[in-house]
């Protein structure tokens, strides 16, 4: 029975019903061990879907970033540039590798890495003779960063790009799949992402040799010998054949999931996009976002309502909403890290963190659930239309 006030989650898993078929097949054929036909097929299917040269299925998106850093030879004494406005998993692997993360601010049009801040950071690093070994560019909430500008800057200094596309599977940048423009791209299939294997990740690249080495490193780096022999340190990072089966079924409905999330976004925008001081995350021309989460900022002065009060009103209605990601340069764990703001006078990620929220955006949300969120927000923010629109 449906309860009127049942909890509305931010981004719950949404199964298609076909996942069970793949799991059953794995049981019938006893492919329970890690690796197996579902893993091989899932890798092929992700490469086909995204247009990447190849793909390696791993146990998480975090593991995929770690392996990408290993492939680029990142180690102690190295620096890696990373978006500041992101989830901590974007930068933790830099620390696993013993390197130093340097954080780059966002810019207003994509909320992602600021090419202006990146340019200053690269110039300074070049002067100090300490260019980064890699730049990790995050495509937050499904929106692609300004890749043309970022690739041109990184090209100038010959620094490879790792795209953290954990949140942007199904999004495009100038017609290309998000995650396929840099040297490496990574996706996540964690439970809250647009498609899920309950836990899992994928590394993509056009460099087949690097991907072969990724498979080697992610399976304990076993040398070719009948006995167990190891010349380098490896990891146990491969995806299980059972979970890859779930991923195959999920990938078949990815396009539907993108459409559903974009429809949730449109519904919210029509309902309260005109309210005073409300701004949704923009979509850069030439890009298409999967709108993984609908996110918006509220200008407290213009609207008169505090973000904390809005979050409380939603929580009181049993609706899960969250502030935007807390920038990594503000995290206690990274308090000594270098940080490059968008400009001398403007720190975009801090402003977003102070004024933004994420709304429930799951692809399985019913219209009634969306209406409950809309009602709560309209009650809280007032119905005064923005005269500027
Ligand atoms: C989810 C996420 C990750 C990590 O993926 P896992 O599969 O959970 O390890 C990395 N970066 C971003 C931006 C994410 O949202």
């Amino acid at each position: 029975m449906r309860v009127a006030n049942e909890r509305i989650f931010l981004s719950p898993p949404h199964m298609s019903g076909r996942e069970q078929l793949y799991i059953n097949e794995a049981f019938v054929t006893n492919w329970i061990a890690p690796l197996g036909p579902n893993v091989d097929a899932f890798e092929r299917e992700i490469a086909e879907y995204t247009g990447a040269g190849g793909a390696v299925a791993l146990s998480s998106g975090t593991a995929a970033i770690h392996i990408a850093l290993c492939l680029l030879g990142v180690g102690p004494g190295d620096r890696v540039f990373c978006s500041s406005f992101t989830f901590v998993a974007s930068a933790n692997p830099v620390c696993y590798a013993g390197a130093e993360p340097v954080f780059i601010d966002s810019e207003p049009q994509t909320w992602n890495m600021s090419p202006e801040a990146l340019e200053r950071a690269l110039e300074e690093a070049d002067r100090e003779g300490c260019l980064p070994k890699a730049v990790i560019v995050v495509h937050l909430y499904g929106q692609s960063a300004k890749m043309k500008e970022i690739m041109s800057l990184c090209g100038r200094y010959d620094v490879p790009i790792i795209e953290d596309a954990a949140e942007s599977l199904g999004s495009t940048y100038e017609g290309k799949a998000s995650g396929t423009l840099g040297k490496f791209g990574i996706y996540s299939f964690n439970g809250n992402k647009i498609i899920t294997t309950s836990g899992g990740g994928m590394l993509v690249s056009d460099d087949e040799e690097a991907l072969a080495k990724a498979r080697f490193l992610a399976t304990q780096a076993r040398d070719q010998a009948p006995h167990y022999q190891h010349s380098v340190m490896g990891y146990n990072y491969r995806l299980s054949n059972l979970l890859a089966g779930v991923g195959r079924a999920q990938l078949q409905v990815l396009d539907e999931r993108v459409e559903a999330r974009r429809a949730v976004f449109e519904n919210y925008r029509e309902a309260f996009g005109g309210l005073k001081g409300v701004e949704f995350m923009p979509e850069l021309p030439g890009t298409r976002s999967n709108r993984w989460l609908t996110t918006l900022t509220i200008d407290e002065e213009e609207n008169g309502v505090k973000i904390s009060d809005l979050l409380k009103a939603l929580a009181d209605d049993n609706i899960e909403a969250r502030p935007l990601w807390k920038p990594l340069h503000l995290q206690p764990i990274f308090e000594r890290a270098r940080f490059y703001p968008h400009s001398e006078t403007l720190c975009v990620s801090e402003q977003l963190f102070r004024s933004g929220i994420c709304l429930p955006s799951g692809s399985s949300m019913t219209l009634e659930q969306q209406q409950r969120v809309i009602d709560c927000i309209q009650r809280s923010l007032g119905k005064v239309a923005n005269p500027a629109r």
Side-chain angles (χ1 to χ4, degrees):
M1 198 186 76
R2 263 242 165 84
V3 201
N5 198 31
E6 98 195 294
R7 184 145 178 85
I8 300 177
F9 292 99
L10 196 69
S11 181
H14 183 186
M15 294 294 109
S16 71
R18 294 181 56 84
E19 292 79 8
Q20 199 82 50
L21 301 176
Y22 288 93
I23 293 181
N24 286 348
E25 189 184 292
F27 269 84
V28 168
T29 53
N30 204 31
W31 274 107
I32 307 300
L35 303 183
N38 279 333
V39 172
D40 298 339
F42 190 33
E43 290 178 346
R44 257 194 331 269
E45 287 156 7
I46 283 279
E48 260 164 45
Y49 180 90
T50 59
V56 177
L58 298 167
S59 53
S60 70
T62 311
I65 297 173
H66 188 193
I67 291 288
L69 292 169
C70 294
L71 293 170
L72 294 172
V74 173
D78 291 331
R79 286 184 197 173
V80 173
F81 290 2
C82 181
S83 304
S84 183
F85 189 48
T86 182
F87 179 47
V88 71
S90 303
N92 272 342
V94 176
C95 304
Y96 304 165
E100 175 198 339
V102 174
F103 295 111
I104 312 291
D105 198 14
S106 298
E107 56 80 34
Q109 285 176 301
T110 62
W111 297 9
N112 287 309
M113 187 178 279
S114 156
E116 287 83 354
L118 175 64
E119 182 163 31
R120 271 186 287 118
L122 284 167
E123 278 167 9
E124 200 168 299
D126 190 34
R127 273 200 305 277
E128 291 173 10
C130 204
L131 280 168
K133 270 276 180 74
V135 173
I136 301 173
V137 181
V138 184
H139 308 302
L140 225 48
Y141 305 120
Q143 172 58 53
S144 294
K146 290 188 167 175
M147 286 305 287
K148 204 167 51 193
E149 291 84 345
I150 291 168
M151 288 196 299
S152 141
L153 284 167
C154 289
R156 192 187 298 165
Y157 295 96
D158 208 17
V159 179
I161 294 174
I162 299 170
E163 289 184 79
D164 179 346
E167 301 178 3
S168 66
L169 181 60
S171 302
T172 59
Y173 179 93
E174 291 184 353
K176 288 195 179 132
S178 179
T180 61
L181 289 93
K183 170 79 186 170
F184 295 107
I186 75 95
Y187 303 110
S188 166
F189 310 115
N190 191 32
N192 59 350
K193 299 301 197 293
I194 193 156
I195 60 169
T196 181
T197 58
S198 83
M202 193 73 76
L203 176 71
V204 298
S205 178
D206 288 338
D207 184 341
E208 294 286 351
E209 213 174 301
L211 292 178
K213 188 163 177 209
R215 289 192 183 90
F216 165 76
L217 290 174
T219 37
Q220 310 282 24
R222 274 177 67 184
D223 293 341
Q224 289 222 324
H227 51 279
Y228 279 72
Q229 176 171 302
H230 307 271
S231 313
V232 297
M233 186 175 75
Y235 302 90
N236 183 7
Y237 273 173
R238 287 289 256 159
L239 186 66
S240 114
N241 192 58
L242 286 179
L243 300 187
V246 176
R248 293 183 70 191
Q250 286 271 287
L251 184 59
Q252 291 166 4
V253 292
L254 174 58
D255 288 339
E256 287 168 44
R257 299 299 185 250
V258 173
E259 292 312 319
R261 293 208 184 228
R262 287 182 65 91
V264 170
F265 165 78
E266 281 303 335
N267 196 15
Y268 286 149
R269 183 163 67 176
E270 274 168 33
F272 52 82
L275 293 184
K276 264 192 176 169
V278 170
E279 295 284 349
F280 288 93
M281 184 182 204
E283 193 171 40
L284 187 74
T287 68
R288 188 167 192 271
S289 172
N290 65 14
R291 293 282 181 193
W292 173 56
L293 295 184
T294 290
T295 56
L296 56 138
T297 56
I298 295 158
D299 185 328
E300 288 187 4
E301 272 176 30
E302 210 182 317
N303 187 276
V305 172
K306 284 207 181 77
I307 287 287
S308 50
D309 292 340
L310 179 59
L311 283 167
K312 175 151 192 324
L314 288 159
D316 287 347
D317 278 3
N318 209 12
I319 295 166
E320 186 186 20
R322 299 258 177 92
L324 302 180
W325 296 122
K326 178 171 182 170
L328 298 186
H329 72 275
L330 298 181
Q331 297 286 357
I333 184 185
F334 295 123
E335 70 189 350
R336 276 196 287 276
R338 277 167 229 257
F339 169 66
Y340 290 86
H342 179 57
S343 76
E344 302 280 318
T345 51
L346 182 61
C347 184
V348 174
S349 59
E350 288 183 18
Q351 217 172 49
L352 290 167
F353 173 56
R354 279 196 301 269
S355 64
I357 70 167
C358 308
L359 294 180
S361 309
S363 46
S364 55
M365 265 184 109
T366 62
L367 283 172
E368 288 84 9
Q369 289 175 321
Q370 293 172 44
Q371 196 56 45
R372 258 181 62 199
V373 177
I374 288 168
D375 289 344
C376 180
I377 289 188
Q378 287 182 332
R379 256 196 331 271
S380 307
L381 294 186
K383 292 192 174 166
V384 201
N386 186 345
R389 278 162 202 274

